[in-house]
Amino acid sequence: MEIAKEIKDFLTTRRARITPDQVGLPAGGRRRVAGLRREEVALLAGVSAEYYVQIERGGVSGVSDEVLDAIATALRLDDEETKHLFTLARAAATKPRKRKPARARVEMPEPVQALVDAMITAPAVVQNGHLDIVGANALGRALYADVYDRVDGAPNLARFIFLDRRADETFPDWNNAADDAVAMLRVEAARSPYSAAVTGLVGELATRSDEFRTRWAVHDIKAHRRGTKRFHHPVVGDLTLRFEALEVASAAGLTLYGFTAAPGSSSEEALRLLSSWIATESSAHQHS
């Protein structure tokens, strides 16, 4: 990933979405660019136009946190976008490292797997930054059965969402799932700009999926810590589940996603049916 280009594209897309009247500036005559001009962002941030142009072009070496904060305020970045800007700035100041070959298989730490397995009534999956599902409990694996069934080894959610024809059946809110996947990959690409696994995956998806390529160009960033997801399971039908994302402190880069259903809901009943189905399948395998 070219950090300077990432900074340029990110800041350009952010200022393109803000109109002068939104920030109390006169619109003037015909405007050649969407949103704010560079000099208008510079004015709002309290820096010279030349300095802002240098920053937008990726020249962030030596730029203070105060200036980055001022630019974030001028562009009305939210907390996640501001964090992303700082991450890109830190990446630009870091000496490029030689890329290491992507590991063919990501191992799940045994203590984390034991913790996940102890979650009996709630589906749980563990993902790395580029959306490999590196571990799951029995309910989590059953919930993502379609994703697991299509690959050998650790499945990748982004690859499934954008390249598998069944993705919109598994995830009825496909557009939201696609937006979330791209936003999470954006965060990981900024955090690990020299990762062969990340750049390889992004390159593959950009080559093979118009939907991914269009979303990637937008540079949207958003949190994915809690919310609801809709699933369609081939055995138990539709489920709407709440999720919480917890970073695994003992294993950098891993995030545990735990899912629960609203008490008394049809989704809670579907989870009970899913648990019974797992038990039936397990018993059948044991006696076969």
Side-chain angles (χ1 to χ4, degrees):
M1 186 176 73
E2 298 179 24
I3 301 300
K5 185 177 186 305
E6 288 297 308
I7 293 171
K8 176 180 181 295
D9 291 346
F10 179 64
L11 292 177
T12 300
T13 55
R14 296 314 91 178
R15 66 180 171 87
R17 68 185 182 178
I18 303 174
T19 60
D21 62 290
Q22 288 178 306
V23 293
L25 294 176
R30 288 187 60 186
R31 303 180 68 85
R32 296 171 56 189
V33 297
L36 296 178
R37 301 184 177 105
R38 293 187 182 93
E39 57 267 28
E40 291 169 332
V41 178
L43 175 66
L44 293 168
V47 299
S48 71
E50 293 79 8
Y51 193 32
Y52 177 75
V53 169
Q54 170 193 318
I55 293 170
E56 190 175 282
R57 287 175 176 170
V60 295
S61 177
V63 176
S64 68
D65 289 354
E66 290 76 15
V67 169
L68 291 176
D69 269 324
I71 291 172
T73 300
L75 292 174
R76 298 190 170 187
L77 303 188
D78 62 23
D79 290 344
E80 293 301 316
E81 291 171 326
T82 300
K83 182 179 178 181
H84 184 66
L85 176 60
F86 273 78
T87 300
L88 289 172
R90 284 194 296 271
T94 302
K95 185 177 180 180
R97 297 167 297 178
K98 186 177 180 180
R99 290 181 182 175
K100 296 180 180 180
R103 293 174 61 184
R105 188 176 182 86
V106 180
E107 299 297 331
M108 176 75 162
E110 289 184 10
V112 179
Q113 185 64 61
L115 172 64
V116 169
D117 287 337
M119 300 169 65
I120 303 295
T121 61
V125 299
V126 176
Q127 296 174 198
N128 60 22
H130 47 282
L131 310 193
D132 288 337
I133 302 179
V134 301
N137 62 7
L139 268 176
R141 191 177 181 95
L143 183 66
Y144 283 85
D146 281 344
V147 184
Y148 273 97
D149 288 347
R150 308 292 274 186
V151 297
D152 294 323
N156 182 273
L157 268 179
R159 193 175 280 115
F160 177 80
I161 288 168
F162 287 102
L163 303 182
D164 196 290
R165 292 179 292 104
R166 296 193 306 183
D168 59 351
E169 298 175 11
T170 303
F171 302 110
D173 293 330
W174 186 88
N175 282 314
N176 288 336
D179 291 344
D180 289 343
V182 172
M184 287 188 284
L185 282 178
R186 269 275 170 218
V187 171
E188 184 65 13
R191 187 164 48 207
S192 305
Y194 308 111
S195 164
V198 177
T199 55
L201 176 62
V202 170
E204 176 191 355
L205 295 177
T207 300
R208 299 178 61 188
S209 170
D210 291 339
E211 291 280 4
F212 178 86
R213 190 164 53 250
T214 298
R215 286 170 167 81
W216 189 254
V218 176
H219 287 260
D220 278 349
I221 301 294
K222 62 180 178 179
H224 195 68
R225 299 190 184 97
R226 62 175 53 88
T228 60
K229 285 185 182 293
R230 291 178 59 217
F231 297 84
H232 178 80
H233 191 274
V235 174
V236 303
D238 294 332
L239 303 94
T240 299
L241 303 177
R242 300 172 295 196
F243 74 89
E244 288 284 335
L246 306 171
E247 292 186 5
V248 181
S250 62
L254 296 187
T255 302
L256 189 158
Y257 291 87
F259 298 88
T260 57
S265 65
S266 59
S267 295
E268 185 181 48
E269 177 60 24
L271 280 184
R272 281 196 288 266
L273 291 173
L274 190 59
S275 184
S276 298
W277 175 70
I278 294 169
T280 301
E281 290 288 298
S282 177
S283 177
H285 283 302
Q286 289 174 4
H287 291 90
S288 61

